[in-house]
Amino acid sequence: MVKFDPQKHHRRSIRLKGYDYASAGGYYITIVVWQRECLFGEVVNKEMVLSKFGLVAKQQWEKLPKRFPNIELGAYMIMPNHMHGIIEIINDRGTAGNQINFDAESSRRAPMQEQFQKPVAGSIPTMIRSYKSAVSYRINLMRGTDGVPVWQRNYYEHVIRNETDLQNKTDYIESNPLLWDEDDENPNNMHE
């Protein structure tokens, strides 16, 4: 057994330090399947064909606004071994609000940092944890497996900065099946 070494075995945060991930705005998300297994289907003639597990991932993504009424979903795509999606957190007036100061820095700051086992209600980490959990639970029920990982441990997020950034992310998501042959997540392109 390998001894724990905090210099080697620490988890680095993927989040912007001090950023409030529960604040209004757009977020681009990528979540990868455990060991990059092509669990969700396959790309056939540059179109994604979902398996029954891919349909679960799609259905649970579409249910997120019911669980979190302060969000709207943008473009999303379930791929064979990962998914991309855009989540927009809206404020009480139903519009996104990201105040950019004259120095081009966002004025959003986290009133409270999310900590291990202390989720922040309505935050992106809480939403993604809920999504991953719902998908894992249903897929494991279907497979007759209990507690088998469905997802990689973490996920990637990007705070969408402006309309151009939003359009670029949307275009990328929508074209993902067309680009599968060149995709780094495609098992045929992975080199040891």
Side-chain angles (χ1 to χ4, degrees), residues 119-138:
V120 174
S123 70
I124 292 295
T126 299
M127 289 177 215
I128 300 307
R129 188 178 305 111
S130 171
Y131 171 71
K132 288 170 71 173
S133 176
V135 171
S136 296
Y137 174 77
R138 281 158 184 79

Side-chain angles (χ1 to χ4, degrees), residues 60-142:
Q60 293 306 312
W61 187 259
E62 291 173 349
K63 284 185 174 184
L64 278 175
K66 290 181 176 75
R67 286 189 215 121
F68 301 93
N70 65 322
I71 69 167
E72 292 177 359
L73 299 178
Y76 71 92
M77 183 65 62
I78 308 297
M79 293 297 292
N81 61 4
H82 66 284
M83 70 84 55
H84 300 289
I86 294 174
I87 296 175
E88 182 181 5
I89 298 178
I90 52 177
N91 65 20
D92 293 337
R93 295 183 307 278
T95 58
N98 180 12
Q99 304 302 316
I100 302 295
N101 297 320
F102 65 89
D103 61 0
E105 291 295 320
S106 173
S107 60
R108 297 187 235 175
R109 291 290 177 255
M112 149 186 359
Q113 293 292 322
E114 182 157 304
Q115 298 172 353
F116 184 67
Q117 295 187 337
K118 294 182 182 179
V120 174
S123 70
I124 292 295
T126 299
M127 289 177 215
I128 300 307
R129 188 178 305 111
S130 171
Y131 171 71
K132 288 170 71 173
S133 176
V135 171
S136 296
Y137 174 77
R138 281 158 184 79
I139 288 176
N140 279 323
L141 272 178
M142 293 167 73

Side-chain angles (χ1 to χ4, degrees), residues 4 9-10 51-52 60 62 72 79-80 94 114 127 129 133 136 143 148 171 175 178-179 182 185 191:
F4 176 76
H9 301 111
H10 66 283
S51 68
K52 61 185 177 182
Q60 293 306 312
E62 291 173 349
E72 292 177 359
M79 293 297 292
E114 182 157 304
M127 289 177 215
R129 188 178 305 111
S133 176
S136 296
R143 295 192 291 200
V148 172
D171 291 346
S175 66
L178 299 172
L179 304 171
E182 293 83 40
E185 296 299 331
H191 305 287

Side-chain angles (χ1 to χ4, degrees), residues 42-49 177-178 180-181:
E42 61 183 326
V43 176
V44 177
N45 296 324
K46 302 199 180 279
E47 285 190 31
M48 184 59 200
V49 179
L178 299 172
W180 179 243
D181 291 339

Side-chain angles (χ1 to χ4, degrees), residues 3 130 189:
K3 184 178 176 210
S130 171
N189 298 333

